[in-house]
């Protein structure tokens, strides 16, 4: 079961976060999914995950994720990863800079009946904001 749970999380990571496919959300998330740590201003359910993927689609291109480790026990999957992309559109109030951004994060996913039911995560949003604002300032664009 743990390999199947990792596969569900990996599918969301590769098809949702990296490839930007919004349709994968309805395929891998339970209808009553709860995100305990959503991005600022995003909903806590599946709609919030759509908001997050759309934000990534609008602001970042050439996305990639390097997963340092997956750990699984029972219905829980822990993912330790680095997300990288090129800042090509407005994101979190910062105009496009064309610079690469890297963000570290650790996420805990609970999988039930083959679908993601809950998420907890620590994503370095402050570090991302600093990179976006620094890149915008060095490009001579007002943040």
């Amino acid at each position: 079961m743990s390999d199947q749970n990792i596969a569900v999380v990996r599918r969301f990571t590769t098809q949702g976060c990296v490839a930007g496919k919004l349709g994968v959300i309805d395929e891998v998330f339970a209808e009553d999914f709860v995100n305990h740590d959503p991005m600022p201003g995003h909903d806590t359910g599946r709609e919030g995950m759509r908001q997050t993927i759309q934000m990534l689609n609008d602001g970042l291109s050439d996305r990639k994720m390097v997963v340092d480790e997956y750990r699984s026990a029972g219905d829980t999957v822990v993912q330790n990863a680095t997300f990288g992309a090129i800042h090509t559109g407005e994101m979190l109030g910062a105009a496009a800079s064309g610079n690469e951004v890297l963000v570290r994060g650790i996420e805990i996913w609970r999988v039930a009946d083959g679908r993601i039911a809950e998420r907890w995560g620590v994503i370095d949003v402050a570090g991302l904001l600093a990179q976006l604002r620094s890149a915008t300032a060095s490009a001579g664009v007002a943040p």
Side-chain angles (χ1 to χ4, degrees), residues 53-129:
I53 298 304
Q54 190 61 56
M55 178 187 71
L56 297 176
N57 286 344
D58 292 345
L60 302 172
S61 64
D62 299 323
R63 296 189 298 267
K64 60 186 176 283
M65 180 149 334
V66 176
V67 176
D68 297 323
E69 185 173 23
Y70 283 112
R71 290 283 174 127
S72 181
D75 63 357
T76 303
V77 175
V78 177
Q79 177 185 40
N80 177 18
T82 302
F83 180 82
I86 306 298
H87 181 211
T88 54
E90 188 279 328
M91 183 167 187
L92 298 173
S97 67
N99 291 347
E100 181 177 23
V101 294
L102 295 171
V103 183
R104 297 254 331 126
I106 296 174
E107 298 179 279
I108 302 168
W109 307 89
R110 185 176 69 79
V111 180
D113 300 322
R115 290 185 167 219
I116 299 171
E118 292 182 274
R119 176 198 171 269
W120 297 263
V122 178
I123 305 295
D124 186 11
V125 176
L128 173 61
L129 284 169

Side-chain angles (χ1 to χ4, degrees), residues 3-26:
D3 287 344
Q4 292 170 334
N5 290 346
I6 289 172
V8 170
V9 172
R10 182 179 286 129
R11 181 170 177 219
F12 171 67
T13 299
T14 58
Q15 292 182 13
C17 298
V18 176
K21 297 178 181 176
L22 294 170
V24 74
I25 291 166
D26 291 331

Side-chain angles (χ1 to χ4, degrees), residues 25-26 28-34 46 112 115-117:
I25 291 166
D26 291 331
V28 301
F29 286 91
E31 287 186 32
D32 59 350
F33 164 76
V34 176
R46 292 197 311 191
R115 290 185 167 219
I116 299 171

